[in-house]
Amino acid sequence: MKRSNVYFTVGPSQVFPSYKKHLLNAVEANIPSLSHRSDAFHTIFNDTVSSLREILTIPKDYHVFFLSSATEAMERIVQNCVSKKSYHYIDGAFSRLFQITAQAYGKQAAFMEVRPGLGFTNDYIRVPRGTELACVTQNETSTGVSLPPSFLGELKRRYPKTLVAVDVVSSVPGVKTNITDADCVFFSVQKGFGLPAGLAVLIVSPRAMEKAQYLEKKHEIVGGFHRFSNLSAYAQKGEVPETPNVLSIYLLGKIAEDMKRTGMQIIREQTKEKAQLLYSYFDTNKNYTLFVKDGMFRSNTTLVVEVAGGSEKLVKYLAGKGFIVGRGYKEHKNTHIRIANFPSHTLEDVKSLKTELDKASQYFY
Ligand SMILES: *Cc1c(COP(=O)(O)O)cnc(C)c1O
């Protein structure tokens, strides 16, 4: 039988190596038939939350909620943390989506924007007066730009009164986020956790929760079933307001446990090592040009490469070898490739991908 493909796509991406084992165990144990109000589910909920707290270093007084997607998390955050003014650091399509979402809820969503391929240094840290929530994207999956590690801490230090929301969808868990530098941190599971789509996690600080309760008391619209106060009331019982994706919450817990066993420091070092391997190759090959010029902004989890003569042939060639890479985002569809480097991608797979990229380079150009 043909070896199955390895998905280097940026989301959904390659499932985590132990996914199959845990899925089969879940089916065997009949997890999908469990009631979401049963004690058995409470245990699953609490185990998953506690493993996430460990691997992501989430403080005890921060809340952990389950939502359906990262896009939903943006909506819930805007509704629960902003009465009038949000502020957005835009360096690509996903940070733009956050700003558009805030606008759609009638907020004054001011922003600072840089050209695609550029990012924000600490020199850009500036938040207009009256801003209730500053929104940043740790890793812009559309362009391969990541925030410098000190950005969040510096933002918090200079604007201690402003709430900070950070999208970590394509950086977690391979890149560390200091949870205490932010008030809302969110991700969906189909990227760095190597699970099927349909589940997201939202981490909420006590201050963000207070803000949500304050807005609710003032009768502002903070949402219905997924308003922060309701999510919190259910989470305290080990539940979610609606019927959640029980199977996915179970699998996320199992994969988080596996990651804990390996050790987050090791996973993060491997992430750097694999990224470095690809970056140093692309840096020396004239047919491949890194889209992000400034090394400081280069993402270790999403590599974006301009391909001489277009990306279509290359994408097809790699697919023929069993490596599925992402096309460029929107207008870059036919010129870029995007390569995900998540914990699911083994060093061996990355090395094989590099070998094929090199063969393609000699063969096509
Ligand atoms: C994929 C992605 C999203 C959207 O995630 P969904 O789960 O599809 O809502 C948001 N932000 C970033 C940075 C992403 O990469």
Side-chain angles (χ1 to χ4, degrees):
M1 203 178 81
K2 188 173 164 283
R3 184 177 73 97
S4 63
N5 291 329
V6 180
Y7 286 81
F8 280 96
T9 40
V10 292
S13 194
Q14 180 60 34
V15 292
F16 200 66
S18 59
Y19 168 73
K20 184 175 173 184
K21 177 184 85 186
H22 296 309
L23 180 65
L24 292 175
N25 287 344
V27 172
E28 199 60 45
N30 218 350
I31 303 286
S33 306
L34 281 181
S35 161
H36 57 298
R37 306 291 176 218
S38 65
D39 284 341
F41 176 70
H42 298 156
T43 304
I44 291 173
F45 180 105
N46 291 326
D47 285 351
T48 298
V49 168
S50 118
S51 295
L52 287 175
R53 283 189 190 280
E54 279 201 44
I55 64 167
L56 304 179
T57 328
I58 305 171
K60 270 209 188 70
D61 57 349
Y62 277 54
H63 305 260
V64 178
F65 301 142
F66 294 109
L67 306 176
S68 64
S69 68
T71 310
E72 192 205 346
M74 294 178 189
E75 292 209 357
R76 302 292 88 95
I77 292 166
V78 163
Q79 282 184 304
N80 284 269
C81 297
V82 185
S83 171
K84 292 190 177 67
K85 287 188 180 179
S86 60
Y87 189 70
H88 302 261
Y89 291 89
I90 300 181
D91 54 0
F94 291 103
S95 36
R96 161 72 66 193
L97 177 65
F98 209 161
Q99 192 268 343
I100 291 171
T101 303
Q103 254 180 349
Y105 276 88
K107 313 300 177 190
Q108 296 167 37
F111 60 90
M112 181 188 306
E113 186 168 16
V114 289
R115 282 205 317 277
L118 293 177
F120 297 103
T121 61
N122 292 358
D123 295 340
Y124 285 82
I125 296 177
R126 184 163 47 73
V127 172
R129 195 182 292 275
T131 299
E132 299 161 76
L133 177 76
C135 303
V136 296
T137 306
Q138 191 174 31
N139 189 75
E140 221 344 308
T141 323
S142 60
T143 61
V145 166
S146 64
L147 279 182
S150 62
F151 189 94
L152 278 178
E154 194 54 24
L155 179 61
K156 196 85 206 151
R157 196 182 66 76
R158 287 199 223 164
Y159 295 94
K161 293 214 176 90
T162 308
L163 295 175
V164 173
V166 55
D167 174 341
V168 298
V169 175
S170 57
S171 49
V172 79
V175 172
K176 189 170 164 49
T177 310
N178 274 331
I179 303 291
T180 50
D181 287 341
D183 298 284
C184 296
V185 180
F186 62 96
F187 60 90
S188 39
V189 300
Q190 73 275 17
K191 300 191 185 180
F193 279 94
L195 279 162
L199 180 70
V201 173
L202 169 60
I203 301 160
V204 172
S205 77
R207 281 184 62 226
M209 181 56 84
E210 271 168 35
K211 176 72 187 258
Q213 282 161 341
Y214 167 77
L215 294 179
E216 192 173 349
K217 272 210 194 87
K218 285 204 322 178
H219 303 291
E220 295 211 16
I221 297 170
V222 291
F225 75 122
H226 275 180
R227 66 185 188 280
F228 283 9
S229 64
N230 203 42
L231 284 161
S232 164
Y234 276 90
Q236 277 163 29
K237 300 186 280 184
E239 293 183 13
V240 178
E242 78 286 19
T243 317
N245 191 335
V246 171
L247 176 61
S248 195
I249 292 172
Y250 168 86
L251 294 170
L252 176 60
K254 291 297 163 195
I255 285 172
E257 263 175 50
D258 291 343
M259 289 177 171
K260 186 169 72 185
R261 218 167 285 125
T262 304
M264 294 317 291
Q265 204 176 337
I266 290 174
I267 288 178
R268 287 167 183 156
E269 272 160 20
Q270 286 168 345
T271 301
K272 271 190 218 156
E273 183 191 354
K274 291 180 293 164
Q276 210 41 57
L277 186 89
L278 289 173
Y279 274 129
S280 45
Y281 170 69
F282 288 131
D283 253 341
T284 55
N285 186 300
K286 65 178 185 347
N287 296 315
Y288 301 126
T289 311
L290 289 163
F291 181 56
V292 179
K293 307 295 175 217
D294 190 335
M296 183 170 53
F297 296 136
R298 278 180 191 162
S299 160
N300 280 338
T301 55
T302 315
L303 290 81
V304 179
V305 181
E306 288 178 90
V307 182
S311 56
E312 207 173 346
K313 266 191 310 192
L314 176 65
V315 169
K316 276 209 187 109
Y317 169 84
L318 293 172
K321 300 294 174 188
F323 296 109
I324 313 299
V325 300
R327 308 285 298 268
Y329 196 84
K330 289 217 172 125
E331 68 267 31
H332 300 296
K333 184 163 185 254
N334 296 318
T335 49
H336 289 180
I337 56 167
R338 287 182 298 159
I339 300 171
N341 173 32
F342 295 144
S344 303
H345 301 110
T346 64
L347 180 61
E348 207 175 308
D349 285 338
V350 170
K351 283 182 179 164
S352 310
L353 174 66
K354 189 189 115 181
T355 303
E356 290 304 336
L357 282 161
D358 200 42
K359 279 193 202 157
S361 156
Q362 292 167 25
Y363 176 69
F364 289 138
Y365 311 101

